[in-house]
Amino acid sequence: MVSRVIPVDPFDLVIFGGTGDLARRKILPGLYRRFRDGQMPPDARIIGAARTDQDSAAWRLFVGEAIDEFVAENAREPELIAAFLGRLSYVTVDAKGEGGWSALKAEMRPDTVQAFYFSVAPSLFGDLAERLHSFEIARSDARIVVEKPFGRDLETAQALNATLAEHFDEHQIYRIDHYLGKETVQNLMAIRFANILFEPLWNAQYVDHVQITVAEEVGVGGRGGYYDQSGAMRDMVQNHLMQLLCLTAMEPPSRYEPDSVRDEKLKVIRALQPLKGDDVVRGQYKASGDLPSYRDDAENASSLTESFIAMRVHVANWRWNGTPFYLRTGKRMKARLSEIVIHFKEPPHSIFDEDAGSRPNVLSIRLQPDEGIDLSVTIKEPGPGGMRLVDVPLDMTFADALGPEAADVPDAYERLIMDVIRGNQTLFMRGDEVEAAWAWTDPIIEAWTKRGDKPAQYDQSSAGPEEAMMMMHKDGRRWREISK
Ligand code: NAD
C-alpha cells in the first residue's frame, strides 16, 4: 500500500534558531524528506534566521551536512538535495537587537503561507513575537510554532501565553509536542473512534487499568545542569505523558477537528484528581561501573531532582471511576520504549477449568521503537491435551501489516510542520490545556518539595526503583516488562 502525498500550499517558513541542534537533527532533515516525497511544493522557501553571522551559502552547507547525517542513505538523492538547498536562504538576526529584521522582511513573499518556527530558548519567544510585529513582518494570518518547555510552572506558562497573545491570536500559535505527531498516536484515535469494537469497552466497567510508559536508555549526561532544574515531572510528564493520557481517556469528540479534540483533552486534565503522597514514586539512577550516577551527571551531589517518576492517577469522571492510570518515565532504563497499554478485565465468569489458565486481554499501542498496535487474545492451545488456553498476539506492526512503505512514515516533526502549513492545530497544544496541565502538576511538585522527599536510588538498565514495583504490588498489579 503506497501512502498518498498531498502537497501543501507554497510557503515561506522562517526557522529562528536555524543553526541550532533541533533544526539540524530534526527540522531540516524532516523538511528535506517532505520535499523528496513531493509534499513540500517546489516554490516553497525556508529561511534560516539565527545569531550566527554567515551567508546563505554557509547555511546551505550546514543543512547539506545535516541531511547527510540524519537522513537515511536510501533517501539521499543528490539532485533532490541540490534542489532542496536551492529553496534555502539565511538571514543573521538577533532576537534581542534590531539588526537583520529588515533583511528578513525583504525575504518574505506577500501571498504564500507564512510560518515562523521559534526553535530558540523560550526566553526569546517574546522578543521574536514583538519584533515580527514592530518590523511588520508577520501578517495577521501568519503562524508561529513554539517549542517546549512551555513554562516551568503555571505562573511562567501563563506569562508566556500572555506574551504571545500580545501579538498573535490563539489560532496562530502552534505549541509543539512531538509525541502528538507520532503515527501511532493518531492511530489511537482511529482505533477508538473508527471501530465499533473498542469504544463500548473503553471504560471502567471493562478496563482494569492503563499503563503509560516512556522509558529512555540514555541518561542526562551533557545537559545534566539544565535537566536538574526540571526533572522527569516537568520534562516528560507535564507534556508528553499527560497528552497521551488525555488521548486515551478523552470522550469521543463530535468531529476530528482541532477545538473538538482539544476541548475533550482539556476536560480530562480538569478531571484529574489531586495526588496523595503514596501515588508518586521518584527515583535517581545510581552509578554503574564507569557510568556516572544521576547526581554526577547533574553535577549536584545533593540533588533532589528525579530522573524517574511513577504515578498512580485517577480521572474522576463517570467513564473512568475506579480505573487507575499508571504513568512512568525515566532515564537509564532497561530499554527505550514508549507505549500505552490498556489492560482489560477478565471475563465475569469462566466456563473453563481453573487449570486451563486465562489471562485478560491487553491492547498495547507502541510509539517507539517499531510503531504498532498489538492485541493479546486468549485462544485454545492447538493440538491434543484438552482445553488449555493460551495468549496470542494479534500483532499489527505497521511495516508487517501494510507493507514496507508503511514503515517509512514521516517523522513526528515533519508531519507536524506540514500541519502548520495546512493550518491544522489538532495535534498542537492549546494555551488553556498547557495551563491546566501545570495547574495539576504544580501542587504535586510543591508537596514533595515541601516534604523534602528524597528520590529513591535505582540501578541503571533496570525498570526503576523497587518502590515503583511496590506501588503496583499494593494494588495487586504488575508493571509491564520494559523490553525492546
Ligand atoms: P541550540 O542551543 O542548539 O540552538 C539555539 C539557536 O538559537 C541557535 O541557532 C542560535 O543561533 C539561536 N539563538 C540564540 N540566541 C539568539 C538570539 N539572541 N537571536 C537569534 N538567534 C539566537 O538549541 P536547540 O537544542 O536547537 O533548541 C531550540 C529550542 O527547541 C529550545 O527551546 C529547546 O528547549 C527546544 N527543544 C530542543 C530539542 C532538541 O532535541 N534539541 C528537543 C525539544 C525541544
Side-chain angles (χ1 to χ4, degrees):
M1 200 173 88
V2 181
S3 56
R4 271 185 316 143
V5 173
I6 302 169
V8 296
D9 290 336
F11 60 82
D12 287 342
L13 169 66
V14 177
I15 307 175
F16 290 111
T19 58
D21 176 65
L22 184 66
R24 190 174 72 88
R25 285 190 307 110
K26 293 287 180 187
I27 304 173
L28 291 158
L31 283 164
Y32 163 71
R33 282 190 290 262
R34 295 300 86 225
F35 182 76
R36 171 183 168 262
D37 288 357
Q39 194 166 18
M40 173 176 154
D43 53 350
R45 296 189 44 206
I46 300 166
I47 301 137
R51 222 170 18 172
T52 317
D53 190 10
Q54 61 179 5
D55 60 11
S56 296
W59 192 55
R60 285 191 201 110
L61 221 59
F62 166 87
V63 178
E65 284 168 10
I67 292 171
D68 281 348
E69 193 173 347
F70 296 104
V71 174
E73 196 176 351
N74 62 4
R76 295 199 302 259
E77 295 173 41
E79 273 173 33
L80 282 178
I81 294 178
F84 174 75
L85 296 179
R87 309 311 309 156
L88 269 51
S89 57
Y90 181 86
V91 182
T92 306
V93 286
D94 182 355
K96 289 191 170 294
E98 309 305 307
W101 292 94
S102 305
L104 178 60
K105 185 174 180 179
E107 291 282 326
M108 308 302 290
R109 295 172 290 179
D111 47 9
T112 54
V113 172
Q114 214 185 38
F116 300 92
Y117 200 128
F118 291 9
S119 181
V120 295
S123 56
L124 297 177
F125 290 175
D127 297 303
L128 293 178
E130 204 269 311
R131 281 166 180 72
L132 284 174
H133 265 78
S134 60
F135 284 89
E136 295 179 349
I137 299 172
R139 297 193 310 255
S140 60
D141 60 354
R143 290 142 209 183
I144 59 166
V145 184
V146 296
E147 267 297 335
K148 83 166 205 182
F150 202 86
R152 55 170 283 109
D153 52 22
L154 177 59
E155 198 184 334
T156 48
Q158 280 172 331
L160 211 47
N161 274 335
T163 304
L164 295 179
E166 278 176 35
H167 303 290
F168 293 95
D169 288 340
E170 183 61 35
H171 75 269
Q172 297 179 275
I173 304 171
Y174 291 70
R175 293 175 196 78
I176 214 160
D177 181 331
H178 69 276
Y179 271 65
L180 294 183
K182 301 226 177 243
E183 186 77 9
T184 351
V185 166
Q186 292 159 76
N187 236 316
L188 169 61
M189 286 189 269
I191 285 264
R192 283 193 60 188
F193 305 130
N195 295 287
I196 191 71
L197 214 58
F198 294 107
E199 195 49 28
L201 307 180
W202 210 265
N203 54 55
Q205 195 179 346
Y206 296 104
V207 176
D208 179 69
H209 72 284
V210 176
Q211 296 187 20
I212 301 178
T213 298
V214 176
E216 296 178 279
E217 279 178 306
V218 293
V220 301
R223 57 178 206 120
Y226 161 80
Y227 186 91
D228 205 45
Q229 303 301 313
S230 105
M233 180 70 145
R234 288 192 169 98
D235 192 48
M236 298 297 289
V237 177
Q238 185 274 343
N239 39 59
H240 308 318
L241 276 87
M242 283 184 73
Q243 287 294 319
L244 300 181
L245 165 66
C246 286
L247 291 171
T248 309
M250 73 182 184
E251 295 300 314
S254 56
R255 292 192 60 77
Y256 186 62
E257 281 176 351
D259 280 329
S260 305
V261 172
R262 300 188 301 176
D263 285 347
E264 296 307 334
K265 280 162 55 195
L266 180 61
K267 285 185 209 161
V268 174
I269 302 176
R270 292 197 170 143
L272 295 179
Q273 271 184 356
L275 297 195
K276 299 190 295 294
D278 65 353
D279 289 328
V280 185
V281 172
R282 297 188 310 133
Q284 290 176 334
Y285 54 82
K286 300 186 213 166
S288 164
D290 289 346
L291 293 170
S293 68
Y294 170 74
R295 287 180 173 187
D296 295 335
D297 276 341
E299 292 176 10
N300 179 358
S302 55
S303 168
L304 295 179
T305 303
E306 72 286 354
S307 60
F308 171 94
I309 188 166
M311 312 164 78
R312 182 196 293 112
V313 178
H314 284 279
V315 183
N317 64 15
W318 196 298
R319 181 185 286 260
W320 294 115
N321 182 42
T323 295
F325 286 69
Y326 297 96
L327 314 185
R328 69 178 161 166
T329 179
K331 307 268 182 202
R332 284 259 190 261
M333 314 228 18
K334 223 184 221 172
R336 174 171 170 263
L337 171 79
S338 300
E339 63 175 17
I340 303 168
V341 184
I342 317 294
H343 291 256
F344 289 94
K345 291 186 175 172
E346 292 198 30
H349 165 71
S350 174
I351 65 167
F352 304 108
D353 292 343
E354 248 177 50
D355 55 6
S358 101
R359 298 258 294 279
N361 299 118
V362 174
L363 175 69
S364 79
I365 298 141
R366 206 168 47 246
L367 281 73
Q368 62 193 23
D370 306 327
E371 294 193 51
I373 292 169
D374 175 307
L375 175 67
S376 80
V377 292
T378 305
I379 61 162
K380 177 191 167 297
E381 195 170 47
M387 180 56 92
R388 280 205 311 271
L389 304 179
V390 62
D391 285 347
V392 290
L394 289 181
D395 190 346
M396 213 188 78
T397 304
F398 298 142
D400 297 343
L402 303 174
E405 289 86 2
D408 192 25
V409 291
D411 167 70
Y413 272 98
E414 53 199 89
R415 175 196 310 276
L416 292 173
I417 296 171
M418 291 300 106
D419 278 357
V420 173
I421 305 300
R422 287 195 202 96
N424 186 339
Q425 290 184 304
T426 309
L427 300 174
F428 296 84
M429 295 180 293
R430 210 168 53 192
D432 51 0
E433 260 185 90
V434 178
E435 290 185 15
W438 281 122
W440 183 71
T441 46
D442 275 0
I444 303 169
I445 298 174
E446 274 161 28
W448 78 52
T449 310
K450 210 160 138 194
R451 289 193 302 262
D453 288 359
K454 294 188 176 54
Q457 302 296 306
Y458 62 93
D459 290 330
Q460 302 205 9
S461 302
S462 73
E466 272 297 306
E467 287 79 348
M469 311 300 140
M470 292 310 296
M471 180 169 96
M472 274 299 211
H473 286 185
K474 270 191 218 147
D475 293 357
R477 302 185 175 103
R478 307 165 66 117
W479 289 107
R480 267 197 24 133
E481 186 68 17
I482 295 179
S483 59
K484 286 184 200 193

